[in-house]
Amino acid sequence: MRIKLGVNIDHVATQREARKGVDPDPVLAARACWEAGADMIVCHLRRDRRHVQDDDVLRLRKQSKLPLHLEMSSSVEMVKLALKLKPQSVCLVPERSGELTTEGGLAVSDGDKVLRKAIADLKKAGIEVSLFVEPTADAVRAAKKLDADTVELCTTAYATASIPAKVKAELEALQLAVYLAKEMGLNVHAGHALDYHNARPVAEIPGVETLNIGFAIISRAMFVGLKTAVAEMKKTITS
């Protein structure tokens, strides 16, 4: 199976919001990503609207040639917006006020009524639903019981490990979580803190279908351009 690359363009909007102007435009960034070989555009519409705005999502949905994967919380407000904007897929993620970035996977349980309703409402509208979870058996099983279509496994612990033994242990945890998810009939994505140096081992795990990567690509783009940065990442995870 050819692994796919989802490119998160949040930090294009972060730069724009620094001046509250119109440039750089996330829609133009999405087009450049598509031309460079990206398979999906990813963006996180946060409750505080620190980077991506509602209009960005609307324009990405209407103008981009790539499938749009919307990251968001499971709040009533966000679910209503997603039902209105209708991205091809949604990833429900945890959010904490003041966090610099998403700090880990959802604390999922099959008794979570808020998550269950959000998933049901989104799926009823024909939107594929993913849950951003830690690579543990309990999290994967809960995602299945909540009727998610996909799990996106949080790779932060793996990507930030500095001791070889810890890197190996975290990679093995990802491998086991992927195996379990596939046994349960779930689609599998992975992402967070992945870069040009550590993404390949995750891409090589049998059953991982998509890697969602943003910060590393946008950072690299400052020096080589966005199309080159995307193409380099695509080569990193597929060759």
Side-chain angles (χ1 to χ4, degrees):
M1 182 187 296
R2 184 182 72 88
I3 193 156
K4 295 180 180 179
L5 174 63
V7 179
N8 187 309
I9 58 171
D10 289 352
H11 291 293
V12 175
T14 297
Q15 186 173 355
R16 180 197 59 196
E17 292 302 302
R19 291 290 181 92
K20 301 295 183 183
V22 296
D23 293 316
D25 185 355
V27 174
L28 293 180
R31 291 175 185 167
C33 292
W34 173 71
E35 291 170 2
D39 300 288
M40 183 168 67
I41 291 299
V42 183
C43 66
H44 186 169
L45 186 62
R46 288 180 171 271
R47 284 176 285 188
D48 62 9
R49 305 304 197 272
R50 73 172 74 163
H51 40 58
V52 174
Q53 305 298 308
D54 299 42
D55 184 60
D56 293 327
V57 181
L58 178 61
R59 291 188 304 121
L60 285 165
R61 184 68 180 95
K62 289 184 175 181
Q63 298 178 32
S64 174
K65 295 182 180 181
L66 283 172
L68 178 62
H69 186 61
L70 180 64
E71 298 177 340
M72 63 181 213
S73 75
S74 58
S75 70
V76 172
E77 174 205 4
M78 287 300 170
V79 172
K80 284 183 178 178
L81 268 172
L83 293 174
K84 177 182 177 181
L85 297 169
K86 293 212 167 134
Q88 284 86 351
S89 57
V90 156
C91 184
L92 300 178
V93 303
E95 275 190 29
R96 182 183 67 80
S97 178
E99 66 184 5
L100 291 176
T101 185
T102 304
E103 296 175 336
L106 285 163
V108 287
S109 74
D110 55 13
D112 191 321
K113 294 181 180 179
V114 173
L115 266 181
R116 186 175 292 280
K117 178 169 174 27
I119 293 167
D121 289 347
L122 291 164
K123 290 185 66 171
K124 186 177 180 181
I127 300 171
E128 181 181 318
V129 182
S130 173
L131 297 184
F132 186 67
V133 300
E134 295 296 324
T136 67
D138 286 346
V140 172
R141 291 190 183 103
K144 178 63 177 179
K145 290 179 180 178
L146 288 167
D147 203 27
D149 301 297
T150 303
V151 287
E152 178 169 346
L153 300 176
C154 178
T155 53
T156 302
Y158 157 74
T160 58
S162 57
I163 301 171
K166 178 67 171 174
V167 174
K168 182 175 182 289
E170 295 298 341
L171 193 59
E172 288 174 350
L174 286 164
Q175 292 168 338
L176 289 171
V178 173
Y179 179 81
L180 178 60
K182 299 307 290 185
E183 283 287 298
M184 291 184 166
L186 291 163
N187 303 317
V188 180
H189 297 179
H192 216 257
L194 295 178
D195 59 30
Y196 295 88
H197 305 289
N198 59 31
R200 182 62 181 268
V202 181
E204 291 177 339
I205 298 174
V208 175
E209 298 160 58
T210 303
L211 294 188
N212 293 321
I213 303 174
F215 186 81
I217 293 173
I218 303 305
S219 297
R220 176 71 174 154
M222 294 177 66
F223 301 96
V224 302
L226 185 54
K227 288 184 180 179
T228 298
V230 172
E232 287 178 348
M233 183 59 78
K234 192 71 179 284
K235 183 178 180 180
T236 295
I237 68 175
T238 59
S239 62

